[in-house]
Amino acid sequence: MASNISEDLRSGALYYHRTPRPGKLEIQATKPLGNQRDLALAYSPGVAAACEAIAADPLQAAELTIRSNLVGVVSNGTAVLGLGNIGPLAGKPVMEGKAVLFKKFAGIDVFDIEIDALTVERMVDVVSALEPTFGGINLEDIKAPECFEVEAQLRQRMKIPVFHDDQHGTAIIVAAAVRNALEIGNRKIEDLKIVTSGAGAAALACLGLLVTLGAKKENIWVTDIEGVVYDGRNTLMDPYKEIYAQKTDKRTLDEVIDGAHIFLGLSAGGVLKPEMVKKMADKPLILALANPMPEIMPEAAREARPDAMICTGRSDFPNQVNNVLCFPYIFRGALDVGATDINAEMKMAAVEALAALARETPSDVVARAYGGESRTFGADSLIPSPFDPRLILRIAPAVAKAAMDTGVATRPIADMDAYIDRLDTFVFRSGFIMRPLFAKAKQSIKRVIYAEGEDERVLRAVQAVVEEGIARPIIVARPSVVDTRLKRFGLSIQPGRDFDLINPEDDPRYRDYVRDYVEVAGRRGVTPDAARTLVRTHPTVIAALAVHRGEADAMLCGIEGRFVRHLRQVRDIIGLAPGVKELAALSLLITSKGNFFICDTQIQTEPTAADLAEMTVLAAAHVRRFGLEPRVALLSHSNFGSHETLSAKRVRSALAIIRERDPNLQVDGEMQADAALMEDVRRKSFPHSSLSGVANVLVMPDLDAADIAFNMIKVLGDALPVGPILMGTAKPAHILGPSVTTRGVVNMTAVAVAEAQTD
């Protein structure tokens, strides 16, 4: 079965999977192997001690091996996404992707296991034999009805959690949405008429969980590709569908939808028509979960029934039913107590935690992601946002507690508060820092101009920006070159339709650009002759003039050429923001230890105390756009007065100025780097520090320190850089650097748009 993804997305996906190395996973050692003793401890002869300890007490495996944090994602490839039975090898990219989600969202390690096993017996034999390796099994992309029997038999044979996410992940989120829809509609679930389109694993699991919540089977009407599931039907039937067979002469979805309170769609796009929606009960809940095309588009459903509550599987509409809302956190809780099963009580605990979180006051991260608007509980907020950082803090403890309460926990948690504190630390390190900016960018689209519009990285980034809907791109480029390269790279974007284009060789605004350039930069050595040449030959000049003239809201440049040349052109044309004395650069490093902003990494060689204070206040404003509360450390070789050098005194003086300018900012210094990053070290040096936790903004005493620290962390910490973010300009303008990747360009587009929204 061929997928319906576009050719440009196909090209981009293949490029993503191939480079810089094939696949999405790797295995890393967590212990040092730097000398002969390390080798003796890790392997022979020292490893025998660990083996003997586990042989004497199998529970020691949780403390001596990775098993307690290791999940097997297992598939036979018989129902892969919307592709059908494509086999285990072709399904491997999906399983690798699931592994990445486990790691990123919950810190869980995964081996993806693709097995050539088509029968229930073969699958059960193979998977159950893997029990010594794993702390849990996530079954994935196995077709119905075999998936039901495989899971049931494995749960009987194995003493670790076995969870078929296609069934239960979707069911848990759907149940949470129904739980909250009941509250809004002031209804009881036992009174509701439920109609489904689709009768696969996910749909039947959803119905099973809704029955557990109190729905009555006689009120449930199931339809599939053959129509209504009725008593006596023989085509495409199995024992799991048979449970919901109705004694009726009705045969179509249209015939059974009348008066329905809930429509549950896990089938195909467009099957629910507006005229069907009009026949539903008041305040209906429509769960149109087919992807990428829902059973009915939200706008069509809303037009037919303005009182409807609508959920889809898509990220571009409210109430996204996405399994990542629950499966990482359910396994997190189950693994942390050494659960032998994920039972009904644990699933219901996840349902209640999800539903309750949607009713809570939105977190600062979520509110900032939506431009400061709080999405409070209601029809458009039945379930939490997928990037709500509280998901792991609510679901994992709830699941762990349910496991303990029901007796399936082999390692009960003694101190739940301490456990939640550990989870909170993981949230800080999770690396999803860009999500709030992308969500915010979509709320108010801004025009971003890219100076080097002919570069492959820029063109691929523009494609992604258009698909994400985070900006209206403008590129500086020759049309003939762009046309050739779009075809070469397999990109579907087109000038005029998807992005605007400024041709440096022939633009009707050329004379106006020259005049404006001389106006703003004439007193800084830009003569009319020089302006005429530069407006033809320097794309950064063109981009900056477009922003200056109000034809673009933000600009990105610097992929080619030296930073200082771009900086001068930006400074000459766009200028400084009111009250700012000098520009500075802020760089973000996304690491496994957390997210750290470093300044000034590019511009000010030896900043004064006033300069340090100014860049700190500017940096704090940028950090808040990421949904983070800045915790600033002013770094030095001196630690709270331990040295009296000029640089230490300069940093110390900056602290006083910062506290006067921004009294609410959490900042302290001068301090050494380890004191900034380790609270216990800081407390020993200075118990009365006003800085708490780990600093996330590191202000360096000079450019040498900032550049050296940034590049060392980037390489040694295998960190993902974002930036540099140019601070202090009158309008958003950022100089990226020749080493930037396509992903880096897209990330900086979101940064620029978020900045433009607040100007």
Side-chain angles (χ1 to χ4, degrees):
M1 178 180 177
S3 64
N4 58 358
I5 62 174
S6 62
E7 283 306 311
D8 50 90
L9 185 57
R10 183 185 304 277
S11 170
L14 293 175
Y15 179 84
Y16 174 89
H17 281 79
R18 284 192 181 110
T19 57
R21 54 188 292 185
K24 299 187 284 283
L25 298 171
E26 67 178 0
I27 294 176
Q28 290 186 340
T30 59
K31 298 297 194 309
L33 288 170
N35 54 42
Q36 186 61 40
R37 177 166 174 78
D38 289 344
L39 187 60
L41 293 171
Y43 199 56
S44 181
V47 72
C51 295
E52 290 168 345
I54 295 170
D57 178 9
L59 292 179
Q60 286 292 304
E63 297 182 15
L64 298 173
T65 74
I66 193 180
R67 185 174 186 261
S68 63
N69 195 55
L70 185 63
V71 166
V73 172
V74 183
S75 177
N76 67 353
T78 54
V80 179
L81 298 177
L83 304 176
N85 186 358
I86 61 174
L89 183 60
K92 186 174 178 63
V94 178
M95 305 313 127
E96 285 189 0
K98 194 68 176 279
V100 169
L101 295 179
F102 265 110
K103 186 66 174 179
K104 281 293 185 181
F105 280 93
I108 295 171
D109 295 303
V110 166
F111 291 159
D112 64 290
I113 310 290
E114 296 76 32
I115 60 177
D116 186 6
L118 296 180
T119 66
V120 170
E121 293 75 15
R122 174 71 169 158
M123 278 211 74
V124 171
D125 285 343
V126 171
V127 177
S128 61
L130 298 172
E131 183 169 348
T133 300
F134 296 107
I137 296 291
N138 183 100
L139 298 174
E140 192 77 13
D141 292 352
I142 304 167
K143 73 181 181 70
E146 288 90 339
C147 61
F148 300 114
E149 189 61 32
V150 168
E151 186 191 48
Q153 290 191 29
L154 288 173
R155 289 183 65 191
Q156 287 182 347
R157 288 177 60 169
M158 303 179 79
K159 294 180 181 179
I160 59 174
V162 177
F163 186 83
H164 185 207
D165 185 46
D166 296 328
Q167 296 180 54
H168 307 300
T170 302
I172 286 166
I173 303 166
V174 164
V178 170
R179 172 83 171 73
N180 282 337
L182 290 172
E183 182 163 328
I184 291 173
N186 193 27
R187 288 180 170 131
K188 296 180 180 179
I189 193 167
E190 58 266 27
D191 300 329
L192 301 188
K193 179 179 179 180
I194 302 169
V195 176
T196 78
S197 174
L204 295 176
C206 289
L207 293 178
L209 198 52
L210 293 180
V211 169
T212 302
L213 277 173
K216 295 188 178 301
K217 291 180 183 177
E218 58 264 31
N219 294 336
I220 296 174
W221 296 77
V222 176
T223 70
D224 62 11
I225 195 170
E226 289 291 322
V228 173
V229 173
Y230 61 89
D231 189 27
R233 195 181 103 172
N234 297 315
T235 308
L236 288 181
M237 290 295 289
D238 58 60
Y240 306 98
K241 287 184 193 178
E242 190 69 43
I243 295 171
Y244 301 103
Q246 294 274 12
K247 292 184 178 180
T248 180
D249 57 359
K250 297 177 180 179
R251 295 295 183 263
T252 67
L253 175 62
D254 185 46
E255 291 178 282
V256 298
I257 197 70
D258 189 37
H261 301 92
I262 297 174
F263 169 81
L264 173 60
L266 285 151
S267 54
V271 301
L272 182 66
K273 308 301 181 185
E275 53 270 25
M276 298 181 190
V277 175
K278 291 178 181 179
K279 295 194 290 185
M280 294 181 71
D282 293 342
K283 295 183 180 178
L285 173 61
I286 298 172
L287 296 141
L289 307 183
N291 257 329
M293 183 62 65
E295 283 79 3
I296 187 170
M297 292 299 290
E299 55 267 26
R302 188 79 69 192
E303 183 178 354
R305 289 297 298 273
D307 62 339
M309 294 171 278
I310 306 165
C311 300
T312 71
R314 290 174 42 153
S315 62
D316 51 344
F317 296 109
N319 292 324
Q320 183 193 12
V321 175
N322 185 332
N323 285 14
V324 82
L325 277 165
C326 67
F327 75 79
Y329 316 122
I330 290 172
F331 269 97
R332 180 75 279 158
L335 291 173
D336 289 340
V337 295
T340 58
D341 188 19
I342 295 176
N343 57 31
E345 291 83 358
M346 293 162 73
K347 295 171 196 171
M348 288 305 302
V351 170
E352 293 300 329
L354 262 176
L357 179 55
R359 298 192 296 269
E360 287 187 34
T361 301
S363 73
D364 290 343
V365 172
V366 177
R368 287 171 185 164
Y370 289 98
E373 297 179 9
S374 296
R375 286 199 169 191
T376 55
F377 176 59
D380 285 338
S381 189
L382 295 173
I383 48 181
S385 162
F387 59 81
D388 193 318
R390 298 170 297 180
L391 284 164
I392 192 172
L393 304 177
R394 300 293 188 273
I395 298 175
V399 170
K401 185 177 185 303
M404 292 188 290
D405 291 344
T406 55
V408 298
T410 61
R411 299 190 309 277
I413 294 170
D415 187 339
M416 190 61 73
D417 289 337
Y419 174 60
I420 293 172
D421 285 343
R422 291 199 300 274
L423 294 177
D424 195 44
T425 301
F426 172 77
V427 172
F428 170 68
R429 296 180 177 181
S430 64
F432 284 95
I433 189 172
M434 293 303 302
R435 289 182 294 169
L437 261 70
F438 276 82
K440 184 178 180 182
K442 294 178 183 180
Q443 302 305 304
S444 177
I445 301 298
K446 298 294 181 180
R447 301 161 298 171
V448 177
I449 186 167
Y450 304 82
E452 294 90 357
E454 297 176 2
D455 189 281
E456 178 181 359
R457 292 165 292 178
V458 171
L459 291 173
R460 289 191 179 276
V462 168
Q463 178 76 53
V465 166
V466 170
E467 290 174 355
E468 290 279 350
I470 61 173
R472 173 67 183 186
I474 307 168
I475 67 171
V476 180
R478 293 164 293 177
S480 59
V481 174
V482 170
D483 183 60
T484 299
R485 293 185 178 179
L486 290 178
K487 292 175 182 175
R488 181 193 307 166
F489 305 142
L491 303 177
S492 66
I493 50 173
Q494 293 297 320
R497 184 189 69 189
D498 302 304
F499 63 90
D500 300 314
L501 186 145
I502 296 178
N503 181 2
E505 295 179 341
D506 182 21
D507 190 280
R509 296 164 291 188
Y510 171 72
R511 294 181 184 277
D512 296 333
Y513 274 37
V514 171
R515 183 197 66 230
D516 289 351
Y517 193 17
V518 173
E519 251 180 46
V520 297
R523 292 184 180 274
R524 287 185 286 275
V526 179
T527 66
D529 285 344
R532 280 189 283 270
T533 301
L534 291 169
V535 171
R536 287 282 193 215
T537 59
H538 283 224
T540 295
V541 170
I542 299 171
L545 286 167
V547 173
H548 172 75
R549 288 163 54 86
E551 295 166 358
D553 301 301
M555 66 171 284
L556 300 180
C557 65
I559 291 179
E560 299 171 2
R562 298 179 62 193
F563 184 95
V564 291
R565 188 199 77 193
H566 295 284
L567 180 66
R568 177 177 179 181
Q569 292 168 345
V570 168
R571 183 190 277 121
D572 284 352
I573 298 169
I574 292 179
L576 302 168
V580 173
K581 294 182 179 178
E582 180 55 286
L583 301 178
L586 177 69
S587 294
L588 166 63
L589 287 170
I590 301 173
T591 80
S592 61
K593 300 292 186 182
N595 308 303
F596 301 98
F597 295 85
I598 299 177
C599 68
D600 167 20
T601 54
Q602 295 285 345
I603 299 170
Q604 299 187 42
T605 307
E606 293 185 359
T608 65
D611 293 332
L612 290 171
E614 181 176 77
M615 71 174 67
T616 300
V617 173
L618 290 172
H622 274 283
V623 171
R624 290 186 179 108
R625 292 192 183 100
F626 285 82
L628 299 174
E629 191 58 38
R631 297 187 298 274
V632 183
L634 304 176
L635 298 189
S636 171
H637 70 99
S638 176
N639 210 28
F640 298 106
S642 64
H643 292 75
E644 292 297 325
T645 59
L646 289 177
S647 65
K649 290 178 179 179
R650 187 170 71 246
V651 174
R652 204 176 304 156
S653 298
L655 177 64
I657 301 171
I658 294 166
R659 286 179 170 167
E660 184 177 344
R661 289 187 59 176
D662 192 348
N664 297 320
L665 180 62
Q666 191 177 161
V667 57
D668 211 343
E670 83 284 11
M671 70 179 74
Q672 294 172 350
D674 58 348
L677 301 175
M678 303 171 68
E679 187 169 23
D680 57 340
V681 171
R682 184 166 64 252
R683 293 299 176 195
K684 289 176 183 177
S685 300
F686 190 65
H688 305 296
S689 174
S690 58
L691 184 63
S692 63
V694 178
N696 55 14
V697 183
L698 307 176
V699 180
M700 301 293 172
D702 57 39
L703 183 58
D704 281 344
D707 183 73
I708 292 168
F710 173 78
N711 283 293
M712 285 185 68
I713 296 171
K714 181 175 70 174
V715 175
L716 297 179
D718 194 22
L720 172 67
V722 177
I725 301 168
L726 192 59
M727 304 186 296
T729 53
K731 295 183 178 180
H734 302 289
I735 306 167
L736 303 182
S739 64
V740 71
T741 62
T742 294
R743 181 183 183 186
V745 177
V746 176
N747 283 340
M748 282 304 299
T749 300
V751 170
V753 171
E755 184 180 359
Q757 288 173 345
T758 57
D759 280 0

